[in-house]
Amino acid sequence: MSTNGSVIRCSIDGKEYLAKAGKYINDVARENGVYIPTLCNVIGIHPQGACRICTITVNGRMMTACTTPVAEGMDIKTNTSELQDLRKSIVELMYVEGNHFCPACEKSGNCELQALAYRFQMMVSRFPYTFPKRKIDARNPKLVKNYNRCILCKRCIRAIKDEQGRSYFAFRKRGHKVEVGIDVDLGKFISDEVAQKAMDICPVGALIKKEQAFRIPIGKRKYDKTPIGADVESHHV
Amino acid sequence: MENQKPIIATASLAGCFGCHMSLLDIDDRILNLIELVEFDKSPINDLKKFTRHCDIGIIEGGCCNSENIHMLKEFRKNCRILISVGECAIMGGLPALRNGIPIRECIEEAYWQSPSVKGHNPEMILPNDQELPMLLDRIYHCHEIVKIDYFLPGCPPRADLLYDALVSIITGTEMKLPYEVIKFD
């Protein structure tokens, strides 16, 4: 067994790489210009493994790249046709699970879920749409929480805290009723800066900063011309 | 040779005609398209009924009333290949925002409550003419009602996507799908 910090040898898609043991597979791949699609993962924040988009195979077994540390002798495959279809099916499931009306969404063009659908060339979901009845909570002075679009990635819960380390957001309810709520009391004191950060950290349009929508014209938004992951892939060519 | 051209029919169900506009957005390539195909029932030539069996049917919009369902089934019967075009046909689109709201509530909002009608309908009349098609309980996207062969997303689908899809089907070539053409808005 390799200890954390020692250098190990692993193979990603048939190419050999050296990496520090204990680093997550996703980070090692990124540093070497291999893009593994992620959705719930944020660089610099402790990984969650919630969305399973980053599923890869290690020695033939499926694992999440964001939570699995590299180890000596790992044979990692990131892009087999089976994995591609699995990832696409997860995105398709998310599309039918909530109410993702892209044409009417403030986040359209900057949305990571949508960007993954573009990258995977999703023309239609293979699953039946559920059209759940969900609410929109606009009580917070700075943020609108749209439950129709939330994919429960916990990015806001993990990344957005106040000075004392308290989270503005939290899970409530259980099972299929689980949702991310804004702390009503703490949320009253949310600054413009933190509200903007919350909107940016949300991969979909579930957190929208008030009076901010549709500022960037179509054609100039983040994923209008550049596929998600292109920055990683162009890094090491 | 003339009658061997593929025949296209189009329809707008619960849509906004934006997808048809996008089809016109292929600009001068429409002259190439006219060389390749003939149009049958379509709002573009204003033919109201099918005059023959068609090769390609293009459906814009989902189904919000009984007439839409009837029309969609007619298209399936009369078209060899049926294509769902745009977000409304694929997943209901903006009309589907009413899914989950009781139909009575929607109608009362539209004819009694909304600011533009409030006070202007003292007899509280709701449209009830027998000629009017019945509203459905929710929006049904096309592949819930009939089999759909291809899907072209977008709101509207980019003109290039529509043109390339039609040319690919007609000439039997594989479709190129550059990143910029698949968009949901």
Side-chain angles (χ1 to χ4, degrees):
Chain A
M1 278 297 287
S2 49
T3 49
N4 274 10
S6 63
V7 174
I8 56 97
R9 192 183 291 272
C10 64
S11 121
I12 302 178
D13 294 334
K15 260 177 94 176
E16 292 265 317
Y17 294 98
L18 292 174
K20 274 192 181 156
K23 267 194 157 183
Y24 295 118
I25 292 173
N26 182 46
D27 296 336
V28 174
R30 282 181 82 90
E31 281 161 20
N32 290 292
V34 178
Y35 173 67
I36 300 171
T38 58
L39 188 57
C40 70
N41 199 50
V42 192
I43 297 160
I45 304 280
H46 190 73
Q48 174 81 21
C51 71
R52 324 309 278 185
I53 294 277
C54 68
T55 301
I56 42 135
T57 61
V58 177
N59 302 338
R61 262 189 79 184
M62 284 191 183
M63 310 257 193
T64 47
C66 69
T67 56
T68 310
V70 283
E72 180 67 38
M74 276 186 167
D75 178 20
I76 299 160
K77 297 267 188 298
T78 70
N79 213 16
T80 63
S81 56
E82 186 190 12
L83 288 172
Q84 284 171 4
D85 189 56
L86 178 93
R87 287 181 194 135
K88 196 173 173 186
S89 70
I90 295 172
V91 170
E92 289 174 19
L93 275 170
M94 286 184 188
Y95 263 88
V96 301
E97 190 275 335
N99 293 313
H100 296 278
F101 292 98
C102 293
C105 180
E106 299 90 334
K107 198 68 176 263
S108 187
N110 298 310
C111 168
E112 288 183 32
L113 177 66
Q114 191 191 51
L116 286 172
Y118 291 167
R119 189 179 166 108
F120 303 153
Q121 300 197 323
M122 180 187 114
M123 306 303 254
V124 63
S125 179
R126 71 193 79 170
F127 305 103
Y129 288 89
T130 57
F131 296 118
K133 196 163 187 215
R134 304 232 173 106
K135 59 190 176 191
I136 299 171
D137 182 355
R139 287 175 299 173
N140 187 280
K142 299 278 163 60
L143 285 168
V144 178
K145 170 76 202 182
N146 193 329
Y147 292 91
N148 293 293
R149 301 168 185 164
C150 186
I151 55 167
L152 307 174
C153 65
K154 285 179 96 172
R155 271 163 68 152
C156 56
I157 300 179
R158 288 180 285 148
I160 311 294
K161 316 250 181 190
D162 72 354
E163 302 86 40
Q164 296 169 44
R166 292 178 296 181
S167 188
Y168 290 101
F169 306 93
F171 263 179
R172 60 177 179 222
K173 301 186 186 168
R174 287 183 186 272
H176 72 284
K177 289 181 180 163
V178 74
E179 58 187 27
V180 176
I182 308 180
D183 189 311
V184 178
D185 295 323
L186 201 58
K188 277 182 204 152
F189 307 107
I190 202 162
S191 67
D192 273 314
E193 205 180 299
V194 174
Q196 183 63 48
K197 204 176 148 204
M199 178 174 166
D200 295 340
I201 211 92
C202 181
V204 289
L207 285 172
I208 298 290
K209 187 163 181 275
K210 288 182 180 175
E211 299 170 22
Q212 282 287 304
F214 306 115
R215 288 258 165 112
I216 311 168
I218 291 178
K220 293 196 170 163
R221 299 167 306 180
K222 201 167 171 192
Y223 301 117
D224 277 339
K225 298 211 164 73
T226 324
I228 190 168
D231 52 335
V232 178
E233 286 162 332
S234 63
H235 200 57
H236 265 260
V237 177
Chain B
M1 278 305 279
E2 192 61 27
N3 55 8
Q4 285 180 357
K5 276 187 186 177
I7 304 157
I8 292 185
T10 76
S12 178
L13 308 179
C16 68
F17 270 97
C19 301
H20 275 81
M21 291 295 158
S22 197
L23 184 63
L24 298 180
D25 242 2
I26 62 177
D27 299 330
D28 57 338
R29 283 174 293 178
I30 204 157
L31 298 174
N32 303 342
L33 197 61
I34 295 297
E35 287 292 310
L36 286 170
V37 301
E38 275 178 54
F39 276 89
D40 199 72
K41 177 180 163 46
S42 166
I44 292 173
N45 56 14
D46 211 20
L47 264 184
K48 308 284 190 219
K49 287 199 170 120
F50 280 103
T51 62
R52 58 204 146 155
H53 200 78
C54 298
D55 295 291
I56 303 168
I58 295 175
I59 303 289
E60 166 194 338
C63 298
C64 74
N65 62 32
S66 53
E67 198 268 341
N68 294 152
I69 301 249
H70 171 77
M71 175 91 92
L72 184 57
K73 286 183 172 166
E74 279 289 292
F75 263 76
R76 184 69 273 182
K77 231 184 279 169
N78 286 289
C79 299
R80 201 159 58 82
I81 296 168
L82 210 50
I83 313 175
S84 258
V85 164
E87 289 297 300
C88 299
I90 289 172
M91 57 84 68
L94 298 198
L97 286 169
R98 82 160 159 95
N99 289 359
I101 301 171
I103 192 79
R104 179 90 200 172
E105 225 174 279
C106 291
I107 293 175
E108 286 182 5
E109 178 68 24
Y111 293 99
W112 295 352
Q113 301 296 341
S114 71
S116 58
V117 292
K118 206 165 188 178
H120 296 282
N121 188 2
E123 287 136 67
M124 302 293 224
I125 298 168
L126 296 177
N128 57 1
D129 196 293
Q130 284 192 344
E131 290 286 307
L132 290 174
M134 288 292 282
L135 279 184
L136 304 175
D137 60 333
R138 65 175 175 89
I139 305 293
Y140 292 81
H141 43 270
C142 295
H143 59 284
E144 260 184 310
I145 308 293
V146 298
K147 181 182 180 291
I148 299 286
D149 301 294
Y150 298 106
F151 300 87
L152 299 175
C155 187
R158 303 297 181 267
D160 289 340
L161 181 68
L162 288 170
Y163 182 75
D164 288 348
L166 286 176
V167 170
S168 298
I169 290 173
I170 293 160
T171 59
T173 48
E174 199 179 332
M175 201 175 160
K176 294 184 290 288
L177 285 170
Y179 179 78
E180 287 81 6
V181 301
I182 303 175
K183 291 283 175 284
F184 300 159
D185 62 359

